[in-house]
Amino acid sequence: MRKALKFVCALLSLLIALLVVSCIRTFLLTVSRSAAPTPCHRNESQGYITSEDAWPRFKKALQFRTVSNAPHVYNRKDLQEFVTFLLQSYPQVFQSPHVRRDIINEYSLLISVSGKNRSLTPYLLAAHLDVVPVVQEEWTHDGFGAEEEDDGSMVYARGAIDDKSNVIAQLEALSFLISKGIQPQRGFFLAFGHDEEVGGHDGAARIAEELWKRGIHDLDFVLDEGLTVLKDLFQGLPNNIAGIGVTEKGSLHLNLSVHSEGGHSSMPPKQTSIGILSAALAKLEANQHDIIFDEMTHNFVESISLDMPFPLNVVTSNLWLFKPLVARALAKGVSESMVRTTTAVTMFQGGLKPNVIPPTAWAVINHRIHPKQTIAEIIDRNRAVVNDKRVTITPLPGSYNAHPVSPHHPKKDRPYRLIRDTLLQIYPNVVTAPLPLVANTDTKHYLSFSKHVFRHNPIVLDVKTELHRIHGRDERLSKANLESAINFYYHLMMNADSDEHPDKSHSHSSEL
Ligand SMILES: CCCCCCCC/C=C\CCCCCCCC(=O)N[C@@H](CCCCN)C(=O)O
Ligand SMILES: [Zn+2]
Ligand SMILES: [Zn+2]
């Protein structure tokens, strides 16, 4: 008994000592942190664009039903009309002697802006013209009506976030540049694919072929849609987080199928094909893939730690002691998609009639693969978890591993610094963070042109009230967000010309 008591006392003393050391370490980190970040002042000398003129063009763009349903299956009529609308809406862009525009594979748009200094490697800004379908009965607004909120501050339509806001914002920024009589030093491309939502095989892939054929084999950097400025990602965090996607997760579509004897439902087997398949799916949902707390996650957590309230600041700034706890916390909510391969059962089919034993049942699972894992690993583990020979697991075409991680040291890697500094011009108080994009983009078609490939959408989204609208119901965008996006791209075009950026103040970011 005395021994046990001694052991408990020793353990308690150790715990208290560890907590005291953690608190002292957090205090020292906090006081030694560089002075409060001097926000990068919006460089007004570069001009600032309001969204007043853009807003009606954006609303019109949202009304084209440019829906992609499957590879090579999309609304050609509305795509054609949308591209015609874009060409007609920016006459000063397409009449400029510095701008060339090409329709690629009938519906994609490649805009080439020539730079004064041909020795500078051009960059590419990507966006896409297509959208995912609308389940109208779930919406409170017409999915393609572009209806506004009463005060006109918000518009509702499919594509408002993903991704017509970037199409319009990039064109508005270019239009403003040209209206000021500016020809950039560094040339660039605006690459608008028309089938991103179904893999980009007819759009971005063909734009990439066109660039290659023209002898464009190198791009300074590529920037496509991606992570946004995230509001209220974690409770208590005073700053919004601007995620810059320096890689993107892989994507694996798996077909799970069960074939069994049919027959009369009055003489059923113990389990029908639907029951067998459902049990397999339930196992996969109950046994999620492992949490992976890699270096990028480690850096990210440490970067936001000192802004967290007590005691979270102590916990997150002492990962040497609290890493398992923090890892479990990240595995909850939307941040889970960053720290593990996710599993989503997205399709299920089975059964013919109420009185017929279903001979077959099938389902599709979409895994978004963590950058530290591979397709093969995921399939092997799934098979082990299901552990039922009656269930056939088949990978579907179009799966791919995670992308290479783009260099993202803010001092050594100019393209990353360019995007980060431009973001801080528009959003001076955010914490910028290199992170994996949890979804996929057309960048898969541009990876051979540059190792500097980034995924960021320069708008602010409240994690709780906005994220579910992407591919979901009542997608919407505020006028303020459209305005910020336009100015982000305009400042990016201006900043891309200089090797240094307008303001070298030490931003508050998660970079090393
Ligand atoms: C600690 C950080 C936690 C991050 C949490 C995630 C925050 C996510 C924020 C924004 C996500 C926006 C995603 C926008 C890009 C989506 C593009 C898209 O829909 N792509 C499709 C392509 C499909 C291609 C055919 N397979 C997709 O990914 O499904
Ligand atoms: Zn999408
Ligand atoms: Zn998209």
Side-chain angles (χ1 to χ4, degrees):
M1 184 60 185
R2 282 174 58 82
K3 269 192 178 171
L5 206 55
K6 268 186 157 180
F7 176 72
V8 168
C9 289
L11 202 58
L12 274 176
S13 317
L14 177 64
L15 270 178
I16 291 165
L18 287 172
L19 283 174
V20 167
V21 166
S22 301
C23 289
I24 292 169
R25 189 171 177 278
T26 301
F27 172 73
L28 293 174
L29 283 169
T30 306
V31 295
S32 62
R33 175 165 69 160
S34 54
T38 318
C40 298
H41 297 293
R42 181 158 298 170
N43 196 324
E44 296 305 352
S45 65
Q46 288 179 315
Y48 187 78
I49 311 162
T50 68
S51 59
E52 280 323 306
D53 296 343
W55 191 245
R57 288 192 279 267
F58 178 49
K59 283 175 56 185
K60 178 63 185 163
L62 291 170
Q63 293 169 37
F64 294 99
R65 295 165 180 268
T66 56
V67 175
S68 289
N69 289 296
H72 322 302
V73 182
Y74 34 79
N75 185 332
R76 287 166 160 76
K77 172 179 170 296
D78 277 48
L79 276 166
Q80 194 118 51
E81 289 175 1
F82 185 23
V83 172
T84 303
F85 164 73
L86 292 175
L87 297 179
Q88 290 170 348
S89 299
Y90 298 95
Q92 74 283 15
V93 168
F94 298 111
Q95 286 160 9
S96 165
H98 310 307
V99 174
R100 166 184 169 173
R101 58 101 173 152
D102 295 276
I103 307 286
I104 306 295
N105 199 16
E106 297 188 72
Y107 309 104
S108 285
L109 189 50
L110 175 62
I111 299 165
S112 313
V113 181
S114 59
K116 277 183 193 157
N117 183 343
R118 297 297 173 116
S119 69
L120 291 176
T121 307
Y123 59 92
L124 183 139
L125 302 179
H128 63 88
L129 305 167
D130 63 319
V131 296
V132 295
V134 164
V135 180
Q136 189 57 61
E137 48 273 25
E138 289 185 359
W139 285 54
T140 59
H141 295 267
D142 172 352
F144 292 97
E147 295 164 2
E148 289 184 277
E149 282 215 322
D150 305 347
D151 60 358
S153 64
M154 189 80 79
V155 65
Y156 287 79
R158 176 64 80 220
I161 297 170
D162 181 12
D163 186 35
K164 288 179 179 175
S165 47
N166 283 319
V167 171
I168 295 296
Q170 290 172 18
L171 280 170
E172 293 288 336
L174 176 54
S175 176
F176 185 75
L177 199 73
I178 290 170
S179 70
K180 291 185 71 170
I182 298 172
Q183 181 189 6
Q185 294 295 327
R186 187 189 298 273
F188 60 90
F189 300 97
L190 301 185
F192 300 154
H194 68 268
D195 67 338
E196 186 276 338
E197 295 292 1
V198 289
H201 309 289
D202 294 349
R206 301 293 291 273
I207 290 174
E209 279 174 21
E210 170 65 17
L211 290 172
W212 200 266
K213 264 192 294 195
R214 281 192 205 171
I216 308 284
H217 296 170
D218 291 301
L219 293 167
D220 191 38
F221 66 90
V222 174
L223 176 61
D224 198 349
E225 64 182 331
L227 290 166
T228 66
V229 177
L230 297 162
K231 184 172 182 302
D232 292 341
L233 178 62
F234 299 119
Q235 198 137 26
L237 195 61
N239 304 75
N240 292 343
I241 293 173
I244 301 174
V246 293
T247 178
E248 71 186 48
K249 294 174 83 172
S251 179
L252 169 61
H253 294 318
L254 281 181
N255 177 287
L256 277 73
S257 60
V258 177
H259 301 275
S260 63
E261 195 56 60
H264 199 292
S265 64
S266 63
M267 297 165 278
K270 272 280 166 287
Q271 275 188 304
T272 70
S273 57
I274 292 176
I276 295 164
L277 181 58
S278 304
L281 295 173
K283 282 182 195 171
L284 289 170
E285 286 190 334
N287 295 276
Q288 293 289 328
H289 286 273
D290 297 338
I291 295 292
I292 299 174
F293 200 96
D294 61 5
E295 190 194 354
M296 201 178 289
T297 305
H298 187 110
N299 293 339
F300 169 67
V301 171
E302 282 202 334
S303 73
I304 62 174
S305 60
L306 302 183
D307 284 310
M308 298 291 251
F310 181 84
L312 290 177
N313 58 341
V314 174
V315 170
T316 52
S317 58
N318 289 283
L319 292 173
W320 58 277
L321 181 59
F322 297 108
K323 182 171 168 179
L325 197 63
V326 174
R328 285 171 61 85
L330 283 176
K332 293 182 174 56
V334 75
S335 55
E336 174 181 17
S337 57
M338 183 184 75
V339 293
R340 72 169 9 133
T341 290
T342 51
T343 299
V345 181
T346 54
M347 297 177 80
F348 189 104
Q349 202 141 45
L352 303 166
K353 274 177 83 269
N355 63 346
V356 172
I357 297 295
T360 61
W362 61 267
V364 172
I365 288 181
N366 177 229
H367 288 298
R368 299 297 169 116
I369 306 172
H370 189 282
K372 296 287 187 189
Q373 291 186 304
T374 65
I375 289 173
E377 281 175 73
I378 301 308
I379 294 175
D380 289 347
R381 186 186 178 277
N382 282 2
R383 289 204 164 109
V385 167
V386 168
N387 188 25
D388 185 336
K389 297 226 177 310
R390 298 171 296 178
V391 180
T392 305
I393 299 178
T394 319
L396 294 174
S399 300
Y400 34 83
N401 283 315
H403 290 186
V405 178
S406 299
H408 52 273
H409 195 290
K411 292 189 173 54
K412 289 186 292 193
D413 304 313
R414 179 182 50 79
Y416 179 81
R417 186 173 67 247
L418 164 69
I419 292 168
R420 182 205 58 177
D421 286 0
T422 307
L423 260 177
L424 289 168
Q425 272 185 290
I426 307 302
Y427 300 109
N429 301 314
V430 300
V431 172
T432 56
L435 290 168
L437 173 64
V438 296
N440 295 108
T441 66
D442 270 343
T443 56
K444 68 171 95 55
H445 300 295
Y446 301 116
L447 294 174
S448 59
F449 291 84
S450 177
K451 61 181 181 178
H452 303 281
V453 178
F454 303 103
R455 303 107 179 131
H456 181 79
N457 189 343
I459 59 175
V460 182
L461 291 183
D462 182 302
V463 170
K464 291 179 192 60
T465 64
E466 304 307 311
L467 283 191
H468 72 274
R469 299 172 192 271
I470 303 171
H471 288 201
R473 60 183 171 79
D474 284 338
E475 186 176 348
R476 66 184 187 179
L477 192 80
S478 68
K479 201 174 267 184
N481 260 331
L482 181 68
E483 190 163 296
S484 295
I486 296 169
N487 283 284
F488 170 82
Y489 289 116
Y490 168 63
H491 284 69
L492 188 70
M493 292 169 185
M494 297 292 281
N495 296 341
D497 272 358
S498 66
D499 268 347
E500 274 316 309
H501 307 311
D503 187 314
K504 292 179 233 146
S505 68
H506 294 291
S507 62
H508 183 195
S509 58
S510 77
E511 286 80 9
L512 290 170

